[in-house]
Amino acid sequence: MSEGKLRIAMHGAAGRMGQAIARAIGESSDLVLAAAIDRSGDGTTASLDAIASADVVVDFSHRDATRGIAEACSKHGKPLVVGTTGLAQETLDAIDALAKRERVVLAANTSVGVTVLFHLAKEAARLLGGEFDAEIVELHHGKKVDAPSGTALRLAEAVAEGKGLDASSFVHGRSGMVGARKKDEIGIHAVRLSDVVGEHTLYLSGPAERLELVHRAHDRALFARGALRAARWVAREGAPGRYDMRAVLGLA
Ligand code: NAD
C-alpha cells in the first residue's frame, strides 16, 4: 500500500548511497520509492522526467549530474534534497534558481548526529571561552585519500566561530620543534585505521578540567536516515529557499 505515503524519486539510485536510501525507504512506514534514476542499464531509468510521479527528489549522484536534476526539479516543480558533494558554481546557481520556487536542502553531511555536534561545538567553545584549548582528532579507514576530513574542518570552523577566531588559527598536526602551544591554536589531527567508518572528537581543555564531544559513525545508513528526514522536511508546506541540515533539525 503506497496510499498516503510520501513519494521519493532517487537520483543516483544505483550508487552506494542510493541503495542505502532505498533500503531505508523500504524499512519506513511513511515513504515509498516512486522512481529510481541512474545512468540506466541497471534496472533504473535514465529519464529525469520520471520525477514527475514523485513528491520529493533526493540526489546522491555525481557532481556533474546534480545540475541536471536541479533543472528537472524546476521544470516539474519538485522540492529537492542534495547530498552530492563538490558541486561547481553553475550547479549551485541551478539549485538557487530552483530554491526561488521550491524548498531545497543542500547538505554535504546529512548525519543528524554530526549536525548536532557542530551546534554543540560552537556553543561549548563560546561558553568555555579563550581559556580552553581546542583540539580535534578524526579517525577514518585507511582507504580515505583526503585529510583532514571535511567534517573535521567544519567542526574546526564551528569551534572558531564560537571562539571568535578564523581559519588562520588551524594547526594541522605537529612535528619537530614547533614551540609551545599558542592559546588561539585549534589543532586538527587525522588518524587512519583499517575499517573505521568515521569518528570525530573535539577536546576542550581548560584549567583542571576537560570536556570531550565525540561522534562515532557506525554505518553509512546514518547518512540515508538523515537524508530522508530532510526529504520529509522539504515536502512540508513552508517558504521556498535553500536550507541545510540545521534547518531540518530546527536549529536555524
Ligand atoms: P557512488 O559512486 O556509489 O554512486 C553514485 C551514483 O550516481 C552511481 O550509481 C552513478 O552511476 C550515478 N550517476 C553518476 N552520474 C550520473 C548521471 N549523470 N545521471 C544519473 N546518475 C548518475 O557514490 P556514493 O558513495 O553513493 O556518493 C554519491 C555522492 O554523495 C558523492 O558526491 C558523495 O560525496 C556524496 N555523499 C554525501 C553524503 C552526505 O552525507 N551528504 C554521504 C555520503 C556520500
Side-chain angles (χ1 to χ4, degrees), residues 188-246:
I188 307 171
H189 313 277
V191 179
R192 294 293 172 262
L193 290 169
S194 59
D195 58 353
V196 178
V197 175
E199 192 168 314
H200 294 83
T201 304
L202 168 63
Y203 295 93
L204 290 162
S205 188
E209 60 179 337
R210 185 169 80 227
L211 179 68
E212 299 180 12
L213 294 174
V214 188
H215 179 269
R216 294 190 183 95
H218 298 171
D219 188 293
R220 65 194 308 119
L222 82 120
F223 300 118
R225 295 177 67 84
L228 291 176
R229 189 156 164 176
R232 292 184 184 96
W233 187 83
V234 283
R236 279 194 222 147
E237 289 290 315
R242 176 168 137 189
Y243 299 95
D244 59 20
M245 285 302 287
R246 284 175 302 178

Side-chain angles (χ1 to χ4, degrees), residues 11-18 37-40 42 48 59-65 82-86 107-111 220 223:
H11 187 238
R16 281 167 294 186
M17 279 303 299
I37 308 168
D38 208 286
R39 284 180 293 193
S40 82
D42 47 21
L48 299 185
D59 170 69
F60 280 81
S61 59
H62 185 272
R63 63 195 301 272
D64 297 335
V82 178
T84 307
T85 56
N109 189 319
T110 51
S111 159
R220 65 194 308 119
F223 300 118

Side-chain angles (χ1 to χ4, degrees), residues 27-194:
E27 289 162 8
S28 77
S29 56
D30 61 329
L31 307 173
V32 63
L33 188 62
I37 308 168
D38 208 286
R39 284 180 293 193
S40 82
D42 47 21
T44 61
T45 171
S47 168
L48 299 185
D49 287 328
I51 67 172
S53 63
D55 301 311
V56 186
V57 180
V58 177
D59 170 69
F60 280 81
S61 59
H62 185 272
R63 63 195 301 272
D64 297 335
T66 299
R67 181 182 174 182
I69 196 71
E71 288 169 354
C73 287
S74 283
K75 177 178 162 194
H76 291 281
K78 302 291 176 188
L80 174 66
V81 175
V82 178
T84 307
T85 56
L87 303 177
Q89 189 55 49
E90 67 225 37
T91 303
L92 296 173
D93 291 346
I95 288 170
D96 284 339
L98 172 65
K100 290 204 173 77
R101 292 199 292 126
E102 300 291 337
R103 279 149 74 84
V104 181
V105 168
L106 179 61
N109 189 319
T110 51
S111 159
V112 169
V114 164
T115 306
V116 173
L117 174 67
F118 293 157
H119 178 76
L120 295 177
K122 180 179 167 184
E123 199 55 13
R126 184 181 73 79
L127 290 168
L128 296 171
E131 262 205 313
F132 279 67
D133 296 336
E135 299 266 330
I136 292 162
V137 178
E138 57 101 332
L139 277 66
H140 281 89
H141 53 86
K143 294 207 172 77
K144 187 168 175 63
V145 293
D146 56 316
S149 69
T151 300
L153 282 175
R154 270 293 296 120
L155 186 56
E157 284 164 13
V159 172
E161 269 178 56
K163 283 176 166 287
L165 301 172
D166 60 30
S168 63
S169 58
F170 297 177
V171 174
H172 294 277
R174 293 188 183 87
S175 174
M177 292 295 291
V178 293
R181 188 186 196 287
K182 295 183 204 69
K183 213 61 214 157
D184 279 351
E185 287 183 357
I186 300 173
I188 307 171
H189 313 277
V191 179
R192 294 293 172 262
L193 290 169
S194 59

